Amino acid sequence: MEPSDKYLLKHKGCYFVQEAITPEYIDSLENFEIRDSDIFLITFPKSGTIWTQNILSLILHEGHRNGTEDMDLLDRVPWLEYNVRNIDYVNRPSPRLFATHLPYYLAPKGLKMKRGKVIYVIRNPKDVLVSYYHFSKVSVKLEEVEDFEIIMERFLAGKVVGNLWLDHVEGWSSQRDNLNILFLMYEEMKKNLRSSVLKICNFLGRKLTEEELDDVVDKASFDKMSADSRTNYSTTPPDVLDFSKGCFLRKGTIGDWKNMMTVAQSERFDSVFKERMEKLPFKFCWDISDEL
Ligand code: A3P
């Protein structure tokens, strides 16, 4: 079953959320002017974007950390390709923070010329798939498909937002020498958040005190984020997210795919992904008890 173009827009070989974007805007992003001070968080959907958006915001905005500012995460770290809040990106003060799911080939030229900094978060693709399946129910802007097998086949064929996971990860990782880029694994964040936050601070050249660091780690925990309306999307209107169908911060763990995928589905997944995944320069973690 092909994805419905009521929900997905295919432009330049890439799938986007139909309602939130236009082909003209996608085209304009190639020439989106990048500042050296820009920080881009780049992910395949469902890889820990909101989590890292929150961490970046906590590191860079003291007011967020100490609770003196009440601002939604989407205003602090907006989506480059889905400017749903109509923010004036051009006149936004530095350092600008952006999140994006763009594949490398559609990224702004400036980024490819080593302007700005990129943080790329990767998650094991079986958990990404399962998270995407559940999120498709919550998101009114995505097609709700009850049959997991159908979503899995679309995922394996790259017919989901972000396209083929393998292409996305390969696209960005193969360009690592031509970018200012830090790769982080969702699983390492889950297992040792403090060291991941420190990695981000070092990469951005930000020095936090021990106390500030503790605060970032605390406010970026799954429980704290789930309970905070600035970080759990709960203020999103019901015509965008339907919370009667589930939460944005759903389980937040490693290995939930085992609760969803049958052995046959897992083997089918491996038969399509394994060979190319083995060539990637990352060590994947498939279960919460696995060593990194
Ligand atoms: P699950 O659906 O597996 O729970 P994105 O923001 O890229 O859409 O990713 C969403 C996924 O990240 C969800 O995964 C969500 O629960 C998880 N996530 C968000 N915040 C998290 C946190 N603080 N700790 C662990 N996982 C988190």
Side-chain angles (χ1 to χ4, degrees):
M1 202 173 102
E2 288 296 301
S4 156
D5 57 13
K6 177 172 171 223
Y7 295 95
L8 292 188
L9 166 77
K10 192 170 188 191
H11 185 62
K12 292 191 166 160
C14 186
Y15 285 103
F16 297 89
V17 181
Q18 176 73 267
E19 257 202 34
I21 205 162
T22 62
E24 295 72 35
Y25 185 64
I26 301 167
D27 289 344
S28 75
L29 293 176
E30 189 184 355
N31 292 315
F32 182 83
E33 192 141 349
I34 305 293
R35 301 178 195 156
D36 288 327
S37 55
D38 286 343
I39 299 163
F40 277 79
L41 166 62
I42 304 182
T43 56
F44 189 88
K46 312 319 290 175
S47 301
T49 325
I50 186 93
W51 192 6
T52 320
Q53 280 170 289
N54 193 35
I55 293 169
L56 286 174
S57 164
L58 286 163
I59 292 173
L60 283 131
H61 294 274
E62 199 188 337
H64 184 182
R65 204 159 53 235
N66 65 27
T68 55
E69 281 171 22
D70 185 16
M71 201 195 273
D72 226 75
L73 211 45
L74 279 187
D75 291 318
R76 292 185 189 277
V77 193
W79 288 100
L80 176 68
E81 65 273 39
Y82 303 111
N83 188 358
V84 285
R85 310 257 173 147
N86 281 320
I87 297 172
D88 180 0
Y89 291 159
V90 174
N91 293 308
R92 202 166 160 90
S94 299
R96 298 182 302 183
L97 294 168
F98 293 106
T100 177
H101 293 319
L102 283 179
Y104 175 79
Y105 74 93
L106 290 180
K109 273 193 253 161
L111 272 188
K112 298 178 177 173
M113 291 156 71
K114 269 200 173 169
R115 303 200 69 183
K117 290 192 163 148
V118 175
I119 295 171
Y120 189 93
V121 180
I122 315 165
R123 185 181 194 187
N124 93 56
K126 288 182 181 169
D127 280 333
V128 169
L129 161 62
V130 169
S131 182
Y132 190 94
Y133 168 72
H134 289 290
F135 182 61
S136 309
K137 300 176 185 214
V138 178
S139 173
V140 182
K141 305 296 178 198
L142 293 178
E143 185 180 354
E144 184 176 351
V145 179
E146 201 43 58
D147 186 347
F148 175 74
E149 194 101 9
I150 292 176
I151 288 281
M152 183 174 94
E153 287 307 323
R154 285 185 190 169
F155 186 87
L156 295 177
K159 293 176 178 175
V160 291
V161 178
N163 285 20
L164 186 65
W165 179 91
L166 285 165
D167 287 342
H168 204 281
V169 176
E170 275 177 11
W172 284 100
S173 74
S174 65
Q175 295 299 325
R176 59 198 310 146
D177 294 337
N178 304 320
L179 298 158
N180 289 319
I181 191 163
L182 170 72
F183 289 94
L184 279 179
M185 308 290 283
Y186 174 99
E187 291 78 11
E188 72 173 288
M189 290 164 64
K190 183 74 195 169
K191 286 184 174 263
N192 194 342
L193 185 53
R194 195 184 169 88
S195 99
S196 300
V197 172
L198 265 174
K199 269 191 197 172
I200 298 177
C201 288
N202 290 338
F203 178 65
L204 299 179
R206 296 272 158 163
K207 183 113 189 74
L208 298 187
T209 63
E210 289 294 304
E211 209 177 61
E212 287 168 334
L213 195 60
D214 288 343
D215 231 40
V216 174
V217 173
D218 176 55
K219 289 198 173 79
S221 70
F222 184 81
D223 289 345
K224 285 274 165 70
M225 284 184 63
S226 300
D228 186 340
S229 63
R230 290 166 306 180
T231 56
N232 65 11
Y233 275 107
S234 62
T235 55
T236 311
D239 62 331
V240 179
L241 295 178
D242 178 357
F243 289 111
S244 70
K245 304 256 176 72
C247 296
F248 193 97
L249 279 92
R250 192 184 56 94
K251 284 201 178 166
T253 192
I254 307 168
D256 188 44
W257 62 273
K258 292 182 179 170
N259 299 316
M260 185 79 218
M261 296 171 79
T262 62
V263 172
Q265 285 168 342
S266 175
E267 283 173 2
R268 158 88 183 124
F269 190 107
D270 293 342
S271 73
V272 181
F273 264 43
K274 205 166 170 202
E275 206 180 314
R276 279 175 72 184
M277 277 191 76
E278 280 171 357
K279 297 198 181 102
L280 290 170
F282 307 109
K283 185 171 176 281
F284 288 92
C285 170
W286 301 97
D287 191 273
I288 190 84
S289 60
D290 284 355
E291 298 243 332
L292 281 177

